[in-house]
């Protein structure tokens, strides 16, 4: 949901408001894809480390306690997941024409209601299929992701990907690992089928 | 003029790389995963595993790991920590 909200705003800004900076911003959004997923996640360990800039700034602002930390918390895991899968949403702007569109004016002056209506039915609605498609596309890798929870989270907070990985590699409980993988696969296929039923297959890929 | 039936199998040849790819990287791993999920409860690394069609693995997987499996509550957990 965080990805969807940030991605929507990002795609909107790039597609309709960036003007001549559009291509540069698109490259900046998509550039992280050119580096390893593992490296990108590891870089968050540096950013959120206990002696890093972010934690010390938050501590100085008394948002975090003096012994407060971000690394090894669920906040770090969610931040990592959002960061890693955000480009999927930003890429929704790729399919847009890229013109600096304005909602149509009605008469000389337009009311706030009309402006909001025009915005919702115009630019924002134009991005909806792209964002929905990207959301459906990124849900699948995110569901089985275990790297973020392993590198940024605490040992107690596991995602299903971590459980499957540990059952396969450490515990040797192949039966549970296989069953869990199959259940996850069935759940994802179910979600894809719901998406197909609602939106068709044309925009799935 | 082309002989009738000469290009009858062309489409299948063109499909072959995709079909081989699908078999290698989807069908075989899927079958392997499916059989692993139906291993008997008495198997171990030392004694080996056998497919005994033990569907109870699914029930126990859901029972033991439902919190991880249905972690839409990821955010709820985040608020708690």
């Amino acid at each position: 949901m965080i990805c969807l909200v940030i991605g929507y705003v990002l795609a909107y800004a790039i597609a309709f408001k960036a003007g001549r900076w559009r291509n540069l911003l698109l490259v900046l959004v998509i550039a992280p894809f050119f580096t390893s997923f593992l490296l990108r996640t590891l870089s968050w360990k540096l950013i959120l480390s206990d002696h890093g800039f972010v934690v010390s700034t938050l501590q100085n602002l008394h948002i975090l306690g003096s012994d407060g930390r971000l690394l090894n918390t669920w906040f770090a895991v969610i931040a990592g997941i959002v960061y890693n899968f955000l480009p999927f949403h930003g890429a929704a702007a790729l399919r847009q024409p890229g013109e600096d569109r304005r909602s149509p004016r009605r008469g000389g002056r337009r009311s706030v209601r009309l402006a909001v209506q025009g915005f919702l039915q115009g630019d924002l609605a134009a991005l909806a299929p792209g964002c929905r498609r990207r959301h459906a596309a990124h849900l699948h890798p995110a569901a089985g992701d275990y790297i973020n929870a392993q590198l940024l989270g605490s040992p107690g907070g596991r995602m299903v990907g971590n459980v499957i990985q540990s059952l396969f590699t450490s515990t040797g409980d192949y039966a549970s690992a296989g069953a869990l993988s199959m259940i996850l696969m069935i759940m994802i296929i179910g979600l894809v089928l719901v998406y197909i039923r609602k939106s068709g297959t044309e925009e799935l890929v | 003029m082309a002989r009738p039936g000469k290009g009858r199998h062309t489409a299948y040849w063109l499909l072959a790389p995709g079909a081989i790819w699908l078999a290698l990287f989807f069908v075989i791993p899927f079958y392997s995963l499916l059989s692993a999920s139906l291993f008997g409860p008495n198997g171990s690394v030392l004694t080996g595993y056998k497919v005994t069609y033990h569907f109870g693995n699914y029930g126990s997987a859901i029972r033991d790991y439902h919190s991880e499996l249905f972690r839409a509550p990821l955010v709820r957990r985040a608020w708690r920590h």
Side-chain angles (χ1 to χ4, degrees):
Chain A
M1 286 309 292
I2 299 169
C3 263
L4 192 64
V5 172
I6 299 176
Y8 215 113
V9 174
L10 192 69
Y12 175 79
I14 292 174
F16 300 127
K17 301 293 172 193
R20 64 196 174 97
W21 299 103
R22 181 173 183 262
N23 290 339
L24 178 69
L25 286 174
L26 265 177
V27 168
L28 288 177
V29 167
I30 296 167
F33 266 131
F34 302 145
T35 56
S36 152
F37 181 83
L38 202 62
L39 277 179
R40 277 184 279 148
T41 310
L42 279 170
S43 69
W44 274 88
K45 281 191 95 152
L46 291 175
I47 294 168
L48 300 176
S49 66
D50 292 345
H51 304 292
F53 170 75
V54 177
V55 169
S56 56
T57 306
L58 290 175
Q59 282 174 344
N60 289 337
L61 292 171
H62 299 289
I63 295 171
L64 270 182
S66 56
D67 59 343
R69 59 190 319 222
L70 292 176
L71 205 59
N72 297 337
T73 63
W74 272 103
F75 172 82
V77 178
I78 292 171
I81 291 173
V82 168
Y83 166 72
N84 279 314
F85 294 102
L86 193 61
F88 282 102
H89 288 89
L94 275 172
R95 294 281 293 268
Q96 299 308 316
E99 34 187 77
D100 194 5
R101 292 177 8 174
R102 302 271 182 248
S103 305
R105 283 180 176 274
R106 296 180 187 172
R109 295 164 62 189
R110 58 178 185 167
S111 66
V112 174
R113 192 177 64 82
L114 277 177
V116 170
Q117 200 178 355
F119 170 72
L120 291 176
Q121 291 173 353
D123 296 345
L124 215 57
L127 278 175
C131 282
R132 203 170 52 231
R133 182 177 60 240
R134 303 293 166 180
H135 192 62
H138 105 267
L139 206 63
H140 315 148
D145 174 67
Y146 66 91
I147 299 288
N148 284 288
Q150 188 171 326
L151 294 179
L152 304 173
S154 59
R158 301 184 302 174
M159 288 172 69
V160 67
N162 300 90
V163 176
I164 293 170
Q165 188 234 6
S166 117
L167 286 172
F168 263 125
T169 57
S170 311
T171 323
D173 187 356
Y174 297 136
S176 296
L180 212 51
S181 305
M182 288 300 295
I183 293 165
L184 185 65
M185 199 186 295
I186 290 164
M187 282 167 65
I188 291 172
I189 289 170
L191 285 172
V192 171
L193 288 177
V194 169
Y195 176 84
I196 287 172
R197 199 173 169 80
K198 285 179 90 74
S199 307
T201 52
E202 282 180 17
E203 291 182 341
L204 190 62
V205 186
Chain B
M1 197 174 135
R3 279 182 299 171
K6 190 187 174 190
R8 205 171 38 187
H9 300 293
T10 309
Y12 294 106
W13 283 115
L14 288 171
L15 278 175
I20 293 168
W21 181 276
L22 205 64
L24 278 177
F25 297 109
F26 183 74
V27 177
I28 295 172
F30 181 79
Y31 174 74
S32 164
L33 194 64
L34 185 66
S35 20
S37 73
L38 299 171
F39 280 159
N42 299 323
S44 73
V45 180
L46 294 173
T47 57
Y49 295 93
K50 273 187 180 170
V51 179
T52 57
Y53 300 99
H54 188 257
F55 286 94
N57 291 334
Y58 286 83
S60 56
I62 291 175
R63 198 173 47 248
D64 296 343
Y65 304 108
H66 66 276
S67 60
E68 285 90 354
L69 200 57
F70 305 104
R71 199 181 279 288
L74 190 85
V75 179
R76 188 177 37 179
R77 191 95 183 245
W79 287 117
R80 232 188 288 152
H81 280 261

